[in-house]
Amino acid sequence: MTPLDALKVAHRWFHEGRRIDIQALAKELGVSRVTLHRWVGTREQLLVEVLWLNADRALAATWATVRSESPAHSLTAETLSRWAADVLVHPGFRQMQASEGELLARLLTRDASEFQSRLIGLVTTMLADDVESGRVTIDLEPAELAYATVRIAESFVHTPAITGGDPDPERNARVLRALLR
């Protein structure tokens, strides 16, 4: 067993909607908790890696699909809108949002979070493509626009943890499309 095996099993559990528990994961891998902690760090660090692996793959696939459709408007807005809607029905995300919503929101939205910095970096790249092609004409640098864009999408996805309301992927899509013109 290796650290990569631990990530793969944790990712599979997330897809199944199963809670990622360090003790149970160590048992399934046949290693001690100490070894698992040495490999993956804390549970929160492991969760960030699992969440990022899931997001990175989903965003890449959605970006490729949207790009192949050649819309005249922002590929970034369309990609993030579809991705956010998909996230809200993902078994792992739904399980975490229901049982650990505040933890999930904190792991994904903290400025110091690896997830947050990676997502902003990826969205910056997407927006740079939109700006270069003329699909987005806002007079902001892609990095500052990416930060605002990510924060907007997060506010709609994490509504349960922020306000106690229901997430609204349609409203998220409307706002992102209006912003990224």
Side-chain angles (χ1 to χ4, degrees), residues 129-143:
D129 183 80
D130 272 344
V131 169
E132 186 177 304
S133 68
R135 289 183 301 267
V136 171
T137 59
I138 292 176
D139 191 23
L140 291 172
E141 291 297 317

Side-chain angles (χ1 to χ4, degrees), residues 3-36:
L4 185 56
D5 294 320
L7 180 60
K8 286 177 183 177
V9 171
H11 189 249
R12 178 174 44 86
W13 286 9
F14 180 71
H15 272 283
E16 295 168 355
R18 184 173 170 187
R19 184 178 190 278
I20 297 171
D21 175 82
I22 293 293
Q23 182 67 35
L25 183 59
K27 184 176 180 180
E28 181 161 322
L29 294 168
V31 298
S32 71
R33 282 183 64 175
V34 172
T35 297
L36 185 58

